[in-house]
Amino acid sequence: LLSASLLGIKFANPLLNASGVHCRYTDELDALAASAAGSLITKSCTLLEREGNPEPRYAATALGSINSMGLPNQGYAYYLDYARRHNYATKPLFFSVAGLSLEDNLTMMAAVRDAYIPAIVELNLSCPNVPGKPQIAYDFEAMDRMLAAVSAEYALPFGVKMPPYFDIAHFDAAAAILNKYPLVAFVTCINSIGNALVIDIENESVVIKPKDGFGGIGGDYVLPTALANVNAFYRRCPDKQVIGCGGVRSGEQVFMHLLAGASLVQVGTALHEDSPRIFARLNRELSAIMERKGYRSIEALRGKLKTL
Ligand code: DHB
């Protein structure tokens, strides 16, 4: 009932973690591998290990979360070692890459390619939290240069993690650039809505330390923005697949992402606030909705969103 497909690879179900959540260390990745998730993705990595921003750097709120982690990670060699040891017969593994420069991305992706493993690269063009490093996908010339260089060097299909856009002209411009690159085989929409500000009224204060409290928000705040971005790229990139991310905490939101066109669906804030056991519940809830509506496969409903 729940089987899904991306890049010609079969998945037992469409669910996985959003990169950044429960995936910095091997024990966390192992728990995802052992969970009911259909696949998993590693923490976005850089060439060298990073501690990230000062704490507190994540806060849960009534409607979701805010974070400014600052790319704490163990360095790409750590995740590549994990990817070499992963049992791909149990489920697929995605490998998230977030180099601090174009050259760093080329180095890391060449290393993944030369490992001859079936890990699927998701190139992060949208980290909002490293001071002095603007989100690449908000600079269309930089994004075009990045995709040209990475396509030439990597030479295998890969995906891109996109920030949310909020204007039709930006959907058009971003999709036109992605469509220049046939190796960009999937588009993950969305990263957090960057540089938001959560205020605690009791303390009259921000709730995270980095960047004077500015950080990326996820959870209920972002669901309609996520669905719009999934559907905007689904409509504009007919030769690519879309991975949905944003605001998923029950089977209903998974169903909405699938209707909007997502082939797989990632879970961030809700996984952070719960545990990898959440995937069993989401699968159960998605199955119940599909059965109630008479759908016998995800393909039967994917992208079937009606307009008025
Ligand atoms: C971080 C946050 C992101 O949204 C992202 O895409 C990559 C890294 C972080 O703060 O660690």
Side-chain angles (χ1 to χ4, degrees):
L1 182 71
L2 295 185
S3 73
S5 168
L6 187 90
L7 311 188
I9 300 164
K10 219 183 146 188
F11 295 70
N13 64 69
L15 301 176
L16 69 154
N17 61 306
S19 182
V21 180
H22 216 283
C23 60
R24 178 173 175 186
Y25 297 109
T26 56
D27 62 313
E28 296 175 298
L29 291 160
D30 285 342
L32 293 171
S35 78
S39 60
L40 70 161
I41 184 166
T42 55
K43 169 68 183 170
S44 285
C45 62
T46 50
L47 219 40
L48 300 175
E49 182 176 354
R50 288 170 59 87
E51 279 192 20
N53 292 337
E55 294 179 338
R57 56 193 184 181
Y58 172 97
T61 71
L63 294 177
S65 66
I66 183 167
N67 86 84
S68 183
M69 305 301 288
L71 223 29
N73 77 95
Q74 306 313 107
Y76 83 100
Y78 177 94
Y79 303 100
L80 189 52
D81 183 58
Y82 186 85
R84 288 180 195 277
R85 290 184 287 102
H86 177 68
N87 181 358
Y88 292 87
T90 64
K91 62 182 71 172
L93 171 72
F94 291 84
F95 192 100
S96 175
V97 170
L100 299 177
S101 69
L102 185 156
E103 292 71 28
D104 288 3
N105 282 333
L106 298 183
T107 301
M108 291 188 278
M109 289 178 68
V112 175
R113 180 198 59 209
D114 294 341
Y116 288 96
I117 52 176
I120 305 162
V121 171
E122 184 185 87
L123 175 62
N124 188 345
L125 301 178
S126 50
C127 174
N129 297 340
V130 177
K133 293 281 174 192
Q135 292 165 81
I136 292 162
Y138 283 157
D139 176 342
F140 290 136
E141 286 177 12
M143 179 165 90
D144 200 341
R145 280 195 301 277
M146 181 70 74
L147 294 176
V150 166
S151 292
E153 170 67 26
Y154 187 58
L156 293 172
F158 63 98
V160 288
K161 176 76 169 277
M162 303 299 281
Y165 297 102
F166 304 93
D167 193 281
I168 301 299
H170 293 168
F171 291 141
D172 290 342
I177 293 167
L178 297 179
N179 283 336
K180 288 169 64 179
Y181 301 100
L183 290 179
V184 176
F186 70 91
V187 183
T188 303
C189 301
I190 58 173
N191 208 316
S192 59
I193 296 181
N195 297 296
L197 185 60
V198 169
I199 294 177
D200 178 82
I201 199 163
E202 242 5 86
N203 300 319
E204 303 177 15
S205 172
V206 303
V207 300
I208 58 173
K209 182 174 177 81
K211 293 174 65 176
D212 294 331
F214 285 59
I217 51 169
D220 291 350
Y221 300 114
V222 313
L223 178 65
T225 298
L227 295 173
N229 278 263
V230 166
N231 193 58
F233 286 93
Y234 177 73
R235 290 176 182 278
R236 286 168 178 75
C237 303
D239 300 331
K240 304 186 191 303
Q241 289 183 276
V242 180
I243 299 182
C245 183
V248 173
R249 58 175 167 72
S250 77
E252 292 181 44
Q253 293 89 38
V254 180
F255 190 85
M256 288 187 227
H257 272 276
L258 297 171
L259 266 188
S263 291
L264 301 179
V265 178
Q266 300 178 343
V267 186
T269 296
L271 170 60
H272 190 282
E273 293 307 308
D274 189 346
S275 80
R277 284 185 301 276
I278 194 175
F279 292 110
R281 172 171 66 82
L282 294 174
N283 278 327
R284 210 162 53 235
E285 292 170 351
L286 176 60
S287 298
I289 296 170
M290 288 174 63
E291 276 161 11
R292 172 164 62 80
K293 289 171 166 283
Y295 284 115
R296 297 201 311 219
S297 76
I298 283 176
E299 267 321 282
L301 67 100
R302 188 173 60 80
K304 297 294 183 351
L305 178 67
K306 293 177 200 162
T307 56
L308 302 179

